[in-house]
Amino acid sequence: MEVLKKEKVHTIDDIYALPEGERAELIDGKIYYMTPPGLRHQRISRKLHQAIANYIDKSHGECEVLAAPFAVFLSEDAMNYVEPDLSVICDPSKLDDAGCHGAPGWVIEIVSPGSRARDYMTKLFKYRAAGVREYWIVDPEKQMVTVYGFEKDALAQYDFGEEVSVGIYEGLSIKTEW
């Protein structure tokens, strides 16, 4: 008789116990180790952060845009912890020194070679189930932005260089010139 090995279920305590400088996410009890982002990834993140923050500041909005590494606890269990590249949180009661407790209104992930399947599949379903209103997948390799508007069951794809409308902010669109 063959014995199946049961995979260990991890918790947030395992994430906090990682060696200094090592980053990982925890999705449904499984640890996903993260490699440091490359230069293009960081430039895209900076430009997006800047455009969103400028819009929020100009419109005197209550939302905050926060860049990784920033902890997002999508559920109340101890088996889910993610660090989206950018999180826009519009409910200040979700924020404390530990991070965001609950779904951000808008999440942006910039695809890295090691995160492709996780960004396009695992996180897509996790974010939708948690109540994220809008999810962008920015893919430098494909030079494309995929926008999921979960509230309206909308899906759109844009090539780099195009203007991308933001669903949660009427009047904000971002030119994807990276």
Side-chain angles (χ1 to χ4, degrees), residues 10-78:
H10 295 277
T11 68
I12 291 169
D13 290 338
D14 295 313
I15 294 293
Y16 290 142
L18 290 173
E20 182 74 28
E22 190 164 350
R23 289 182 51 216
E25 293 180 307
L26 180 69
I27 300 173
D28 295 329
K30 182 174 181 183
I31 290 181
Y32 295 90
Y33 292 94
M34 299 163 59
T35 58
L39 179 61
R40 186 161 192 215
H41 180 285
Q42 290 298 85
R43 284 180 174 158
I44 292 170
S45 178
R46 180 183 58 81
K47 287 190 178 241
L48 282 167
H49 187 279
Q50 190 172 32
I52 297 164
N54 287 346
Y55 177 83
I56 292 169
D57 289 347
K58 192 170 76 180
S59 61
H60 307 288
E62 292 184 13
C63 301
E64 284 190 63
V65 58
L66 299 162
F70 181 74
V72 174
F73 306 93
L74 290 172
S75 53
E76 291 184 23
D77 63 35

Side-chain angles (χ1 to χ4, degrees), residues 14 32 36 81 83 115 131 133 155:
D14 295 313
Y32 295 90
Y81 166 102
E83 292 183 3
S115 72
R133 295 170 54 202
L155 169 64

Side-chain angles (χ1 to χ4, degrees), residues 69-91:
F70 181 74
V72 174
F73 306 93
L74 290 172
S75 53
E76 291 184 23
D77 63 35
M79 295 180 359
N80 289 284
Y81 166 102
V82 292
E83 292 183 3
D85 290 309
L86 293 169
S87 301
V88 178
I89 298 108
C90 298
D91 179 351

